[in-house]
Amino acid sequence: MGIASSDTRRRALAAYERGGKTQLEVAAIFGVTLRTFQRWWRAWRQEGRDAPGKRPGRPRTFVGSAELRLRQALAAQPDATLHELAERVGSIACHTTVHRALQRWDLPLKKRHCERQSKTGPG
């Protein structure tokens, strides 16, 4: 089951306010669980809110021009380390933030093994 739209929420609340149906019946009609409908109803009663609230979390660092700078830095030197990329984009991000952005974009990153290099292999 996907996330219910704001329209579905409004219609469910209106159906319950009209009366004649229990919360369980309204929830079944609109394809949501009873607990979900109860949360919607409480938000409507207490806050007057019939739309989803603001999603928690911090906004992304790499959007707009910052994303463009990171992609240009990657194009200029594809084998750059995370620390080097973080330095190139400026003081907006640390290497961990760069790593998360690369993961989100499904881009490979330069990996360095923690083990000792072979003395007989290519060095």
Side-chain angles (χ1 to χ4, degrees):
M1 178 187 315
I3 297 174
S5 68
S6 297
D7 182 53
T8 302
R9 181 185 289 222
R10 286 184 192 102
R11 289 186 297 131
L13 292 170
Y16 184 67
E17 280 187 326
R18 274 183 256 136
K21 296 201 184 318
T22 65
Q23 289 184 353
L24 184 60
E25 292 169 338
V26 172
I29 290 169
F30 289 94
V32 296
T33 63
L34 174 61
R35 182 70 185 113
T36 297
F37 181 77
Q38 288 171 341
R39 279 196 307 270
W40 292 354
W41 182 246
R42 186 181 64 241
W44 173 248
R45 258 190 2 251
Q46 293 176 353
E47 304 167 20
R49 181 171 49 92
D50 63 352
K54 184 178 179 243
R55 294 187 70 182
R58 191 173 179 180
R60 289 190 176 168
T61 303
F62 290 110
V63 292
S65 63
E67 179 181 350
L68 183 63
R69 281 198 316 259
L70 179 59
R71 288 189 185 269
Q72 288 173 344
L74 277 169
Q77 188 178 3
D79 64 341
T81 64
L82 295 172
H83 290 284
E84 291 169 345
L85 289 171
E87 287 175 11
R88 287 201 178 98
V89 296
S91 62
I92 63 168
C94 66
H95 70 280
T96 306
T97 307
V98 172
H99 181 253
R100 288 184 186 135
L102 295 178
Q103 283 181 323
R104 209 171 30 254
W105 300 335
D106 289 328
L107 294 175
L109 57 131
K110 182 178 180 180
K111 294 185 175 85
R112 183 122 204 215
H113 296 290
C114 294
E115 59 199 36
R116 288 179 47 193
Q117 292 183 354
S118 172
K119 291 184 180 181
T120 59

